[in-house]
Amino acid sequence: MRKLVFSDTETFYRELKIALEQGEQVEVVTDYKRYSDLPEKLKTIFELHKNKSGEWIHVATGAFIPLSTSVTTINYSVLFILGGAGMGALVGAIVGGLVGAAVGGGIGAIVGTVAVATSSGKHHVEIEIDASGKLRLKITPIR
């Protein structure tokens, strides 16, 4: 199982995208203990807003409930566009400066969108809150 420590960076999203494309089991480890502290990208990619409930989030405080679990899904569109557009922009910048970065970012986004069609619904995602109240996401490919 590949363990990824969450950081709200292009590098993290690219690593996650690659691991999912390769069919690896992934555990995303975070330091977050409250739903309101989660970055919007993380909430959107793992569709946490759809699965926000009293099962794993304390309704009154918004804090995660230690040792609780739930399930969610992956929004492949957002993940693959974030992971693909950044790489395309980087390659484009190396080859063609600012104009190349813009074109490369667009190409990366298109490639990411195409990848969504082949990956959608192929992973089970478990939300797990550890004993200290920190969020972990366990992603398993569906075979």
Side-chain angles (χ1 to χ4, degrees), residues 66-136:
L67 303 176
S68 62
T69 62
S70 188
V71 294
T72 191
T73 56
I74 297 173
N75 183 330
Y76 295 95
S77 297
V78 174
L79 176 61
F80 281 76
I81 289 170
L82 281 172
M87 183 55 81
L90 176 64
V91 171
I94 292 169
V95 174
L98 291 176
V99 173
V103 172
I107 291 170
I110 291 167
V111 169
T113 302
V114 171
V116 168
T118 61
S119 295
S120 292
K122 293 189 176 179
H123 296 90
H124 172 77
V125 183
E126 186 173 333
I127 298 168
E128 182 181 278
I129 310 302
D130 70 13
S132 64
K134 293 180 184 177
L135 173 71
R136 290 178 181 253

Side-chain angles (χ1 to χ4, degrees), residues 6 10 22 32 35 37 39 56 59 104 116 126 130-131 136-137:
F6 177 77
E10 195 172 298
Q22 294 176 348
Y32 297 106
Y35 181 83
D37 294 336
W56 61 284
V59 178
V116 168
E126 186 173 333
D130 70 13
R136 290 178 181 253
L137 299 162

